């Protein structure tokens, strides 16, 4: 079956303010997301990732450019039309759970269905089923104050799913949870997304989280998409110096390439045949991931170096 692009953006620009205070937040952003994909959007604070998410979720409009969701062009829609499209097509999960303290978990989940005029029995059945699928069986009658942070986040996730949206939008959804709960929730989110086949966009500043949940990752910087690719490709084949520095831990050195060997301040490293073929001789920049370096017995191929510090980090040592 041929996949159709569910989301299509072309040359999206977004400005805030006016006159001397006008700020160009998104700059000619174009992207396409297929049905069923799980795409994470990462970037430093101020990179434009949340602004892009707001436009994709019809919470905001672009200043210029084209955005189509499910073949519907949103550029000239009035606010009430955008609101209707948002209700029909999207489910939202935010950092804050936004649960109503006076309602039970079941009633919080069913609330969007109430607003859409769904019958009481159907919305109650949907809410019960979603809460059970998310491991909250027996908690349906609990109010938010009687639930842990992780359980409240699951209620918020169930509420986003109750109207069977075409797209789920996550905006820093796990930031309020501790490390163990974050790990468990991202696994649950990924499992649920795969079982439902629902298109999902996930904004986070946490690279580990982005890698764990997504099929592809969009990296943003200063209002532009720098690269959109699977996590492994971003990590091993970054398309720019910015990406090489941004993804994971790396060190960038000035080097000189000649005869299949790169010389870094006297340290000579032979390249593989494929790398030799694709790179011209001459000055170059060399990016080295820490995990690519290992201790070797002293011999002809070993390079001598001075260790300034070694810090035990649990599952690895950080050596400088």
């Amino acid at each position: 079956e041929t996949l159709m692009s569910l989301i299509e953006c072309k040359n999206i620009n977004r400005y805030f303010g006016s006159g001397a205070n006008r700020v160009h937040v998104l700059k000619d952003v174009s992207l396409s997301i297929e049905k069923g994909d799980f795409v994470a959007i990462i970037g430093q604070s101020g990179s434009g990732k949340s602004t892009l998410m707001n436009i994709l979720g019809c919470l905001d409009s672009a200043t210029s450019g084209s955005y189509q969701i499910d073949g519907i062009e949103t550029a000239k829609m009035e606010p009430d039309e955008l609101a209707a499209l948002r209700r029909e097509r999207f489910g939202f999960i935010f950092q804050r759970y936004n649960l109503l303290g006076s309602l039970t978990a079941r009633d919080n989940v069913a609330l969007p269905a109430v607003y859409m005029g769904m019958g009481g029995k159907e919305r109650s059945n949907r809410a019960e089923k979603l809460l059970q699928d998310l491991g909250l069986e027996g908690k349906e009658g609990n109010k938010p104050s009687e639930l842990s942070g992780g359980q409240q986040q699951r209620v918020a996730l169930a509420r986003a799913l109750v109207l069977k949206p075409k797209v789920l939008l996550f905006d820093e959804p796990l930031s309020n949870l501790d490390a163990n709960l974050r790990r468990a929730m991202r696994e649950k989110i990924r499992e649920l997304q795969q079982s439902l086949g629902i298109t999902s966009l996930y904004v986070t500043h946490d690279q580990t989280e982005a890698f764990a949940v997504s099929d592809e990752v969009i990296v943003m910087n200063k209002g532009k998409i720098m690269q959109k690719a699977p996590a492994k490709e971003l990590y091993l084949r970054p398309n720019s110096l910015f990406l090489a520095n941004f993804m994971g831990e790396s060190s960038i050195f000035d080097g000189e390439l000649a005869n299949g060997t790169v010389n870094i301040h006297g340290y000579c490293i032979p390249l593989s045949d494929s790398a030799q073929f694709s790179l011209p001789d001459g000055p170059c920049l060399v990016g080295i991931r820490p995990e690519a370096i290992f201790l070797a017995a002293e011999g002809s191929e070993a390079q001598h170096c001075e260790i300034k510090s070694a810090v035990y980090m649990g599952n690895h040592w950080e050596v400088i």
Side-chain angles (χ1 to χ4, degrees):
E1 183 181 352
T2 303
L3 291 173
M4 296 173 57
S5 292
L6 182 65
I7 287 173
E8 286 281 355
C9 289
K10 292 183 181 177
N11 305 115
I12 290 289
N13 287 276
R14 183 66 171 100
Y15 292 86
F16 289 111
S18 59
N21 296 321
R22 198 177 198 214
V23 181
H24 197 178
V25 179
L26 292 180
K27 303 169 183 175
D28 286 320
V29 170
S30 296
L31 72 111
S32 143
I33 296 172
E34 310 296 341
K35 290 180 180 177
D37 279 0
F38 198 139
V39 178
I41 305 174
I42 61 176
Q44 298 163 332
S45 179
S47 62
K49 58 185 187 295
S50 290
T51 301
L52 177 60
M53 172 74 89
N54 288 340
I55 290 173
L56 295 179
C58 297
L59 292 165
D60 189 18
S61 296
T63 307
S64 65
S66 168
Y67 169 42
Q68 292 188 356
I69 168 69
D70 211 15
I72 301 168
E73 176 59 58
T74 66
K76 295 181 180 178
M77 279 190 171
E78 296 297 325
D80 58 337
E81 293 177 304
L82 276 178
L85 187 63
R86 186 167 65 241
R87 287 192 298 268
E88 292 168 7
R89 299 295 200 284
F90 296 98
F92 296 89
I93 303 96
F94 298 105
Q95 181 178 348
R96 295 182 179 179
Y97 314 128
N98 296 324
L99 302 178
L100 295 181
S102 60
L103 298 183
T104 63
R106 182 191 302 105
D107 290 341
N108 266 289
V109 172
L111 197 57
V114 174
Y115 294 144
M116 294 299 285
M118 187 182 294
K121 186 174 182 180
E122 183 182 357
R123 66 177 184 249
S124 182
N125 288 343
R126 280 198 193 184
E128 294 267 355
K129 176 69 165 56
L130 284 166
L131 289 169
Q132 289 169 14
D133 289 346
L134 286 164
L136 291 175
E137 190 170 1
K139 302 287 186 182
E140 298 91 344
N142 289 29
K143 293 184 177 179
S145 61
E146 301 169 317
L147 301 172
S148 69
Q151 290 170 337
Q152 289 183 50
Q153 187 59 282
R154 292 183 187 209
V155 174
L157 179 54
R159 181 183 57 193
L161 289 165
V162 73
L163 293 180
K164 300 182 179 179
K166 294 212 168 187
V167 182
L168 271 181
L169 297 179
F170 299 84
D171 194 357
E172 301 278 7
L174 308 183
S175 296
N176 291 340
L177 305 180
D178 64 40
N180 288 335
L181 270 177
R182 288 179 74 152
R183 189 176 299 110
M185 273 303 297
R186 76 189 187 208
E187 289 170 1
K188 175 57 71 175
I189 286 169
R190 182 58 168 158
E191 175 191 323
L192 190 68
Q193 186 271 337
Q194 288 183 319
S195 67
L196 296 175
I198 190 168
T199 308
S200 299
L201 298 172
Y202 193 104
V203 165
T204 179
H205 65 277
D206 188 322
Q207 291 182 26
T208 302
E209 207 169 280
F211 282 16
V213 298
S214 64
D215 301 307
E216 285 195 307
V217 179
I218 292 172
V219 182
M220 297 194 67
N221 183 44
K222 297 180 179 178
K224 294 183 177 181
I225 292 178
M226 305 302 292
Q227 192 169 352
K228 176 177 179 281
K232 187 175 181 180
E233 184 176 337
L234 285 176
Y235 192 76
L236 297 179
R237 290 183 291 278
N239 66 3
S240 65
L241 188 58
F242 168 81
L243 261 297
N245 279 309
F246 183 76
M247 303 305 299
E249 299 285 341
S250 65
S251 297
I252 307 295
F253 301 95
D254 291 316
E256 186 79 24
L257 180 61
N259 302 319
T261 298
V262 64
N263 186 320
I264 306 171
H265 304 296
Y267 293 93
C268 295
I269 303 171
L271 299 182
S272 66
D273 291 340
S274 58
Q276 290 179 45
F277 181 77
S278 61
L279 296 171
D281 284 356
C284 61
L285 291 174
V286 184
I288 299 179
R289 301 289 189 194
E291 65 270 22
I293 300 172
F294 58 93
L295 297 176
E298 189 169 344
S300 59
E301 293 186 6
Q303 302 281 350
H304 289 269
C305 64
E306 177 186 350
I307 294 177
K308 294 182 178 180
S309 72
V311 180
Y312 180 66
M313 302 296 288
N315 63 346
H316 68 280
W317 286 82
E318 191 173 271
V319 180
I320 299 174

